[in-house]
Amino acid sequence: MISLSRCSFLNNVGVSGSRSPVTYKQGRQPPTLVRVIASSPDRDNGSVMTGTTLKESRENAASVLQADSKPTVSGEVLDVTEEHLVTPWTVSVASGYSLLRDPHHNKGLAFTEKERDAHYLCGLLPPQVTPQELQVKKLMHMLRQYQVPLQKYMAMMDFQETNERLFYKLLIDNVEELLPVVYTPTVGEACQKYGSIFLRPRGLFISLKEKGKIHEVLRNWPEKNIQVIVVTDGERILGLGDLGCQGMGIPIGKLSLYTALGGVRPSACLPVTIDVGTNNEQLLNDEFYIGLRQRRATGQEYAELLHEFMTAVKRNYGEKVLIQFEDFANHNAFDLLEKYGPTHLVFNDDIQGTASVVLAGLVAALKLVGGTLADHRFLFLGAGEAGTGIAELIALEISKQTNMPLEEARKKIWLVDSKGLIVKSREDSLQHFKKPWAHDHKPIKELVDAVYGIKPTVLIGTSGVGRTFTKQVVGAMAALNEKPIIFSLSNPTSQSECTAEEAYTWSKGRAIFASGSPFDPVTYNGKVFVPGQANNAYIFPGFGLGLIMSGTIRVHDDMLLAASEALAEQVTQENFDKGLIYPPFKNIRKISAQIAARVAAKAYELGLATSLPQPKDLVKHAESCMYNPNYRSYR
Ligand SMILES: NC(=O)C1=CN([C@@H]2O[C@H](COP(=O)(O)OP(=O)(O)OC[C@H]3O[C@@H](n4cnc5c(N)ncnc54)[C@H](OP(=O)(O)O)[C@@H]3O)[C@@H](O)[C@H]2O)C=CC1
Ligand SMILES: CC(=O)C(=O)O
Ligand SMILES: [Mg+2]
């Protein structure tokens, strides 16, 4: 039995500390000791093997290989004296050839002469030393040569696998150009073709085969200090349906944004796909499909696997790990959120993140159309996660603003699903999340008739079905309203309810329009209209950062409202003048800091934050917590 003190280990093998560096003389054998990375919380802040003697490190590393650490509910790793089988968490020391192959520490041509000398890199790189800015310029030049978006996506994934800091620097510095590559719409195509383009695994795949041993599977992941997990079961990937195991592109993409947009350390992010099979016949018959070749497990089998996962996550990473449910089908999404909300730090991005971003856009749009939220009438096409999630948050905000009972506020909101307008006479056959929206009205089948019947001022598309906002529908909105507010939220671009051009043209330039996937500016009658991107990507990175930095243990609706307010406040007059109701993504890190601060403040107010005492200036604190992708200097 071996007792391991985490702190002494970190001090020794630890990273970028203040101790004297290990100097490796040229001509000597490169060190062969192992480095235990699982307990290296500072890794993202630039670390190679420093701060101890090789002998000390070898001894420490060896002891860790024999012992194992045990996380507590708080996510700390404590001494362990139990005897049990352990996983050998090791990688080669980051020097020489392996340093160039280690994406966390590799700098490519940016290694200085001194670093090349000290870390056995001489001869392994061409002579030129290239600063990071020039590397970024070169990669952008390279990316712009690709005509096919999927090629750009694959190149970006390659950069992420080769040089993580350069990948994030590239993404942060060129966020507006690269967001559509690593995120919607291209990530949708990448998921559809994931098996065919699959080269290197990324993220954790937990399938039915892992039932009974998910705890151990989580321990195979090379990082221990996880702060955010984005998990999908692949059943509702964007508006593209069931993509099974190939949905992994979504957690990977979302977590890239957690780092690039929200500043969460990459090593603290864990993408997970739960593979319970797929009902997608095309994938089941695709020889390149990478997932389980069986139809989806449901009922008890599904619930047990998910429960084992949720339990293992808390056991491994503690109470404060954020679990973001992403792109689950609605028949599981609402239940999972309800079941785990009271016991875990869970957040459903499609239900809650989307609600927060749309509410922000609506609040901003009021500056253009006038009135309060309560003065408006809302009609949704699509009554699933996004639709009912947004509807509920709007109702909550109206109710808070006016002291109107929530049930009354809900009556200002109407939803249409695949069977038509949701009305009282359908109530018995409705799924539970639709029932609050069954108001008194005669049944209506077609959307255009619902527009004329309900007379909404705001039309929101959350159907996942492209081109459903026809010329007649947009025309009806324009006939009823001087400035109709129209959101086509469905992703990717192919599923958008209408294009920006259609919205502006069919409303004769009067629509206030935003879409889930980006559209280019449109010129109509000589005027340029810039459509906003109403995507939860504005919210979840800052929202997550706010939860993490305050050590929050549960999500509360008031935090969603706080995030929404913070985002709406970031829209400037200059943005409004262009018809924008969201601020540009190029300022997203500043926006995320504002959102994080507001969410954290709410968490402290509600007594749900555990990082005490509360920092005085939460915005500054958020900024100071953010991951910086600039290279670190190596001793
Ligand atoms: N912009 C953003 O940030 C976000 C966008 N989305 C997008 O929203 C879309 C929907 O997602 P989500 O709510 O999770 O999906 P759901 O499957 O939960 O809901 C889809 C809803 O659309 C309805 N529907 C489907 N086809 C039609 C049709 N032809 N006419 C009318 N209604 C129809 C369904 O009806 P029924 O219930 O009868 O089957 C259901 O109510 C996706 O494309 C997704 O990408 C989602 C989250 C965030
Ligand atoms: C944006 C997003 O989360 C979705 O379309 O599902
Ligand atoms: Mg989603």
Side-chain angles (χ1 to χ4, degrees):
M1 280 190 296
I2 291 172
S3 171
L4 165 70
S5 158
R6 173 178 177 253
C7 294
S8 66
F9 169 71
L10 280 180
N11 284 341
N12 284 334
V13 184
V15 283
S16 61
S18 56
R19 290 166 171 232
S20 57
V22 184
T23 48
Y24 309 138
K25 291 257 161 48
Q26 277 294 51
R28 268 188 28 211
Q29 275 296 97
T32 53
L33 80 167
V34 289
R35 187 172 68 93
V36 180
I37 61 164
S39 304
S40 307
D42 318 354
R43 204 199 56 200
D44 298 318
N45 290 326
S47 57
V48 288
M49 189 70 187
T50 60
T52 184
T53 65
L54 289 179
K55 184 167 175 292
E56 275 173 338
S57 304
R58 247 190 219 118
E59 283 165 2
N60 281 315
S63 70
V64 169
L65 286 178
Q66 293 166 53
D68 203 4
S69 51
K70 181 179 182 179
T72 67
V73 280
S74 64
E76 290 297 303
V77 183
L78 294 181
D79 291 6
V80 159
T81 50
E82 291 166 32
E83 202 157 10
H84 63 288
L85 294 175
V86 297
T87 309
W89 302 103
T90 66
V91 294
S92 303
V93 69
S95 83
Y97 193 74
S98 58
L99 177 55
L100 295 178
R101 294 288 177 281
D102 173 356
H104 309 302
H105 299 120
N106 181 26
K107 304 190 200 181
L109 289 179
F111 280 110
T112 63
E113 301 283 5
K114 207 166 143 239
E115 288 170 335
R116 292 174 189 210
D117 199 41
H119 296 281
Y120 299 92
L121 297 172
C122 293
L124 300 181
L125 289 164
Q128 197 60 49
V129 175
T130 307
Q132 197 180 21
E133 284 66 29
L134 192 58
Q135 289 181 309
V136 167
K137 185 175 173 188
K138 187 180 81 179
L139 292 191
M140 285 310 293
H141 177 74
M142 191 202 272
L143 283 171
R144 287 171 185 147
Q145 307 300 308
Y146 294 120
Q147 297 303 313
V148 179
L150 193 60
Q151 287 176 327
K152 293 189 191 202
Y153 176 88
M154 290 169 69
M156 284 299 281
M157 292 304 103
D158 203 38
F159 302 156
Q160 194 173 17
E161 288 292 329
T162 318
N163 182 338
E164 189 175 81
R165 281 181 180 269
L166 187 54
F167 167 81
Y168 282 112
K169 178 88 178 145
L170 199 65
L171 189 50
I172 291 167
D173 290 356
N174 300 276
V175 65
E176 289 185 317
E177 185 170 345
L178 295 181
L179 208 54
V181 177
V182 299
Y183 192 53
T184 184
T186 312
V187 71
E189 186 185 356
C191 289
Q192 288 174 311
K193 299 177 179 163
Y194 213 72
S196 308
I197 64 173
F198 184 88
L199 288 175
R200 268 168 300 201
R202 192 172 182 84
L204 205 57
F205 295 90
I206 298 177
S207 79
L208 285 168
K209 285 187 189 167
E210 276 72 57
K211 188 166 173 3
K213 48 185 182 192
I214 295 180
H215 178 60
E216 281 111 279
V217 172
L218 284 179
R219 293 164 81 90
N220 288 344
W221 187 251
E223 305 289 347
K224 282 246 188 292
N225 292 291
I226 297 300
Q227 293 175 318
V228 193
I229 293 173
V230 176
V231 56
T232 189
D233 71 355
E235 193 168 4
R236 196 285 279 144
I237 294 299
L238 307 178
L240 301 170
D242 182 354
L243 297 184
C245 190
Q246 303 198 160
M248 181 56 109
I250 294 294
I252 290 172
K254 292 271 177 184
L255 284 165
S256 298
L257 304 197
Y258 258 106
T259 298
L261 279 51
V264 178
R265 289 181 291 118
S267 65
C269 299
L270 172 57
V272 176
T273 293
I274 309 255
D275 185 352
V276 296
T278 178
N279 296 339
N280 183 326
E281 289 299 330
Q282 203 182 331
L283 288 180
L284 288 171
N285 293 319
D286 180 350
E287 62 177 327
F288 298 134
Y289 181 55
I290 55 170
L292 286 184
R293 244 168 248 279
Q294 64 170 72
R295 295 186 73 76
R296 279 188 177 272
T298 57
Q300 194 178 344
E301 195 182 5
Y302 178 89
E304 280 176 6
L305 194 74
L306 265 289
H307 192 67
E308 188 187 335
F309 169 71
M310 295 301 289
T311 308
V313 164
K314 196 159 161 180
R315 188 172 159 206
N316 262 288
Y317 307 120
E319 188 87 4
K320 290 180 281 183
V321 65
L322 171 62
I323 304 168
Q324 174 165 318
F325 294 121
E326 193 69 53
D327 291 9
F328 283 75
N330 62 39
H331 52 88
N332 290 316
F334 289 101
D335 294 349
L336 287 171
L337 191 58
E338 196 182 324
K339 181 169 176 187
Y340 294 105
T343 54
H344 290 66
L345 182 66
V346 288
F347 166 70
N348 185 304
D349 189 33
D350 301 299
I351 301 171
Q352 299 173 296
T354 314
S356 187
V357 80
V358 172
L359 180 60
L362 290 171
V363 169
L366 294 180
K367 296 228 167 82
L368 296 171
V369 298
T372 64
L373 270 185
D375 296 329
H376 286 267
R377 213 169 18 260
F378 306 83
L379 179 66
F380 287 76
L381 183 72
E385 293 166 65
T388 62
I390 301 163
E392 188 65 12
L393 202 67
I394 295 173
L396 185 63
E397 180 64 10
I398 292 178
S399 157
K400 278 186 186 267
Q401 284 180 5
T402 60
N403 286 328
M404 190 186 288
L406 189 61
E407 294 68 37
E408 278 306 301
R410 285 186 182 135
K411 289 185 181 150
K412 295 174 178 297
I413 303 171
W414 297 81
L415 293 99
V416 172
D417 66 8
S418 64
K419 297 187 177 66
L421 189 66
I422 295 182
V423 290
K424 261 266 174 315
S425 56
R426 291 181 55 197
E427 194 166 6
D428 289 348
S429 63
L430 291 173
Q431 290 144 287
H432 65 91
F433 50 87
K434 292 180 185 170
K435 286 187 194 285
W437 311 101
H439 310 316
D440 283 319
H441 202 284
K442 67 173 172 35
I444 299 182
K445 183 84 189 96
E446 298 300 326
L447 176 63
V448 67
D449 298 330
V451 172
Y452 282 116
I454 303 299
K455 300 190 176 38
T457 54
V458 180
L459 177 66
I460 300 179
T462 50
S463 63
V465 185
R467 305 301 174 269
T468 34
F469 290 173
T470 58
K471 190 174 179 181
Q472 288 69 32
V473 169
V474 175
M477 285 299 291
L480 293 164
N481 300 285
E482 177 55 32
K483 288 182 180 167
I485 300 175
I486 300 177
F487 286 74
S488 296
L489 295 182
S490 293
N491 297 315
T493 316
S494 58
Q495 312 309 113
S496 187
E497 281 79 7
C498 68
T499 66
E501 188 167 15
E502 288 165 348
Y504 294 123
T505 308
W506 293 339
S507 68
K508 301 198 169 32
R510 287 191 279 120
I512 293 163
F513 177 76
S515 55
S517 296
F519 282 106
D520 287 336
V522 173
T523 306
Y524 176 79
N525 265 355
K527 186 169 175 207
V528 178
F529 294 86
V530 186
Q533 190 176 349
N535 193 294
N536 49 32
Y538 272 109
I539 291 290
F540 70 79
F543 190 82
L545 179 66
L547 298 176
I548 291 167
M549 74 186 205
S550 56
T552 294
I553 52 164
R554 299 288 176 267
V555 168
H556 190 284
D557 281 349
D558 285 356
M559 298 171 190
L560 299 170
L561 295 176
S564 204
E565 260 172 43
L567 176 57
E569 284 169 17
Q570 298 304 308
V571 191
T572 62
Q573 190 54 48
E574 191 192 340
N575 303 148
F576 284 127
D577 292 344
K578 293 181 188 153
L580 271 172
I581 49 171
Y582 290 100
F585 265 114
K586 68 174 189 292
N587 301 328
I588 188 65
R589 282 201 150 207
K590 280 201 157 42
I591 297 166
S592 293
Q594 295 288 339
I595 294 174
R598 208 65 78 80
V599 170
K602 189 51 79 179
Y604 281 107
E605 189 188 318
L606 294 168
L608 291 167
T610 63
S611 295
L612 300 169
Q614 175 177 347
K616 277 203 175 64
D617 187 334
L618 282 167
V619 176
K620 275 214 178 88
H621 183 59
E623 282 168 350
S624 74
C625 289
M626 285 184 168
Y627 166 80
N628 178 344
N630 292 346
Y631 290 138
R632 303 296 301 267
S633 295
Y634 298 162
R635 291 187 185 94

